[in-house]
Amino acid sequence: MEFNTAGLISLQDALDKMRAHTPAKTEEDVESLPLAAAAGRITAAPVRSPVFVPPFDNSAMDGYALRTTDLHDGAVFPVAGKAFAGVPFHGEWPAGSCIRIMTGAPVPPGADAVIMQEQTEVTDAGVRLTASVRPGQNIRLIGDDIKQGDSVLAQGVRLGAAELPLLASLGVEHVDVYKPLKVAIFSTGDELQPVGTPLQEGQIYDTNRFAVRLMLEQIGCTVLDLGIIRDDPQALRAAFEQANDFADLVISSGGVSVGEADYTKKMLDELGEIGFWKLAIKPGKPFAFGKLKKAWFCGLPGNPVSAALTFYQLVQPFIAGLSGHTSWTMPPRLKAKATTPFNKSPGRLDFQRGIFSTSASGELEVRTTGHQGSHVFSSFSQANCFVVLERERDRVSAGELVDVEPFNALLRS
Ligand code: AMP
Ligand code: MG
């Protein structure tokens, strides 16, 4: 593995390097699950329809089914029977008669048109048509929507509220999906305490495991949370070894910069093939990526905004690749008019937190959440988007156009 450690690397280069390491899925990664247990999983093969949809010719209207060969001027059709949705008509129906039919009911054999009831007059003698009818009219043909054997979902699609009901509508009972990715996480830092422990002088609460764990669970990963690891080489080595044994991917936070207590780098030189990058993005400059003995590794920066941002922009796409989620895409970027200034100096691609909305005149507008420090996590909860400011861009004045990237479900539900 080769890493460019000289200077800053761009987000795109980092993404490309990570993506280049995405291994192909094998049969061992696949399991077959009942539909009800497959929510959030990724399809391991195209899903083909076992049935035709609709499964039989049926009426698109409430009206009367007839044979168009029986049509002639002044024809009156006696009603020979009824067909309801779920209750087909099976009897004889003599030439020149019609069948009362409801929407969704199977079209009786021989009928080749349905006239809607609004285009008829019903008398004691039968039904008279008040409009012309052509063969095939108001009949939804078998397989109109989906043919048996058609691929209805591609490989690499996440099964959500749009996909599972579709499969249910086809009577699909089992679906081949990838096993969930196993991810081990921990935070590093002598100053960190878990929620529930009073803080001593110089200590802070651990934010990052909450953010990372929740985002991983939303993506559908199985998470092993190893807690807070002290800035101690032995403790770190033990954590990395335990994480590597369990996981496909290990994610740590903190200790990836150049401070005196940043042991992560030293450990990783020993335990794997890891590159340390200085990313040309803000926040989130220090980031580590590579491979332990077995598992992949991502080392997030310690500052909570940087950790969440690098997870979102780099780890999320990497996990999509590892998970076989080929249909995954980043949220689109839209142009919006800044209604406040955005502080910036040239040098790094900046992901500021913003609040976008549509103005009364229908224009997309965006304003800053205020303080953009990499420790100001409240900026995420106020925001609904990243304001993406190009690497070379300087301060943005109100009125200028900027790129807005709406948060996806990981950051806002
Ligand atoms: P480090 O990269 O370990 O030097 O951490 C950079 C900054 O982020 C320091 O101010 C740390 O105290 C802080 N930090 C590191 N990990 C966490 C965490 N899990 N939660 C909150 N803050 C953290
Ligand atoms: Mg630290």
Side-chain angles (χ1 to χ4, degrees):
M1 226 178 280
E2 278 188 27
F3 294 99
N4 171 12
T5 43
L8 302 183
I9 79 163
S10 73
L11 179 68
Q12 194 55 51
D13 281 352
L15 279 168
D16 290 345
K17 284 173 199 283
M18 292 170 80
R19 198 173 298 135
H21 293 296
T22 306
K25 291 285 194 188
T26 68
E27 265 181 33
E28 275 180 25
D29 300 319
V30 179
E31 62 186 331
S32 175
L33 289 183
L35 207 55
R41 295 295 196 90
I42 315 293
T43 53
V47 184
R48 299 192 178 280
S49 176
V51 294
F52 289 94
V53 180
F56 46 83
D57 294 352
N58 70 94
S59 178
M61 293 286 171
D62 293 326
Y64 298 89
L66 45 82
R67 305 174 181 96
T68 53
T69 49
D70 290 341
L71 288 168
H72 58 86
D73 280 349
V76 175
F77 293 84
V79 179
K82 290 186 179 178
F84 291 89
V87 189
F89 172 78
H90 285 307
E92 292 289 310
W93 57 302
S97 68
C98 67
I99 302 294
R100 176 83 171 114
I101 193 164
M102 312 304 159
T103 306
V107 172
D112 65 346
V114 169
I115 181 129
M116 58 196 284
Q117 66 191 37
E118 292 84 344
Q119 296 179 340
T120 62
E121 267 171 23
V122 182
T123 64
D124 287 347
V127 177
R128 239 171 36 80
L129 315 193
T130 58
S132 61
V133 193
R134 47 177 179 75
Q137 184 168 312
N138 295 325
I139 294 180
R140 303 189 289 213
L141 293 177
I142 177 171
D144 220 10
D145 180 3
I146 298 167
K147 308 258 181 303
Q148 194 174 49
D150 276 358
S151 167
V152 288
L153 288 182
Q155 180 178 348
V157 170
R158 186 151 198 241
L159 296 173
E163 293 78 15
L164 281 173
L166 171 66
L167 299 188
S169 77
L170 305 176
V172 171
E173 284 180 60
H174 287 85
V175 59
D176 282 349
V177 291
Y178 293 123
K179 292 175 187 165
L181 207 66
K182 286 190 264 182
V183 185
I185 62 170
F186 56 87
S187 299
T188 68
D190 283 341
E191 74 281 29
L192 301 180
Q193 290 297 324
V195 171
T197 310
L199 295 182
Q200 308 296 323
E201 190 187 352
Q203 295 183 332
I204 59 171
Y205 286 118
D206 175 8
T207 314
N208 295 346
R209 265 182 319 129
F210 271 92
V212 169
R213 181 178 188 141
L214 188 62
M215 290 194 279
L216 287 168
E217 285 171 350
Q218 288 188 49
I219 296 174
C221 297
T222 303
V223 180
L224 174 67
D225 185 347
L226 294 174
I228 298 164
I229 310 299
R230 300 289 151 217
D231 290 319
D232 163 65
Q234 295 314 320
L236 266 178
R237 180 185 291 113
F240 274 116
E241 284 175 347
Q242 193 187 346
N244 176 68
D245 285 345
F246 166 82
D248 305 303
L249 170 65
V250 176
I251 302 175
S252 69
S253 78
V256 286
S257 43
V258 292
E260 283 184 21
D262 293 337
Y263 293 111
T264 309
K265 188 171 186 334
K266 219 176 293 168
M267 268 312 76
L268 289 169
D269 284 340
E270 207 183 296
L271 294 174
E273 238 185 309
I274 315 290
F276 288 82
W277 295 337
K278 287 197 171 72
L279 299 173
I281 63 171
K282 191 180 175 195
K285 195 156 89 176
F287 183 84
F289 171 72
K291 187 133 201 197
L292 300 169
K293 287 200 182 75
K294 170 183 89 105
W296 297 96
F297 171 70
C298 292
L300 309 179
N303 272 308
V305 176
S306 314
L309 177 91
T310 49
F311 181 96
Y312 189 88
Q313 295 290 343
L314 284 160
V315 183
Q316 183 185 190
F318 183 57
I319 288 179
L322 289 182
S323 309
H325 190 179
T326 47
S327 71
W328 185 87
T329 52
M330 279 304 281
R333 290 185 189 166
L334 312 165
K335 292 271 180 224
K337 194 167 89 181
T339 56
T340 58
F342 287 84
N343 285 327
K344 162 121 179 36
S345 43
R348 291 196 269 161
L349 179 67
D350 201 344
F351 290 89
Q352 302 203 11
R353 276 72 65 212
I355 302 160
F356 78 91
S357 56
T358 308
S359 72
S361 61
E363 257 188 320
L364 201 54
E365 295 179 339
V366 65
R367 64 184 198 275
T368 182
T369 56
H371 191 4
Q372 296 289 317
S374 56
H375 56 291
V376 183
F377 204 80
S378 58
S379 64
F380 269 118
S381 60
Q382 292 160 31
N384 60 10
C385 68
F386 288 115
V387 179
V388 188
L389 302 175
E390 302 83 340
R391 195 166 169 172
E392 293 319 320
R393 196 153 181 181
D394 216 327
R395 184 177 189 277
V396 175
S397 307
E400 287 184 41
L401 282 182
V402 292
D403 285 329
V404 156
E405 187 182 293
F407 288 165
N408 69 17
L410 287 196
L411 287 173
R412 199 176 179 86
S413 42

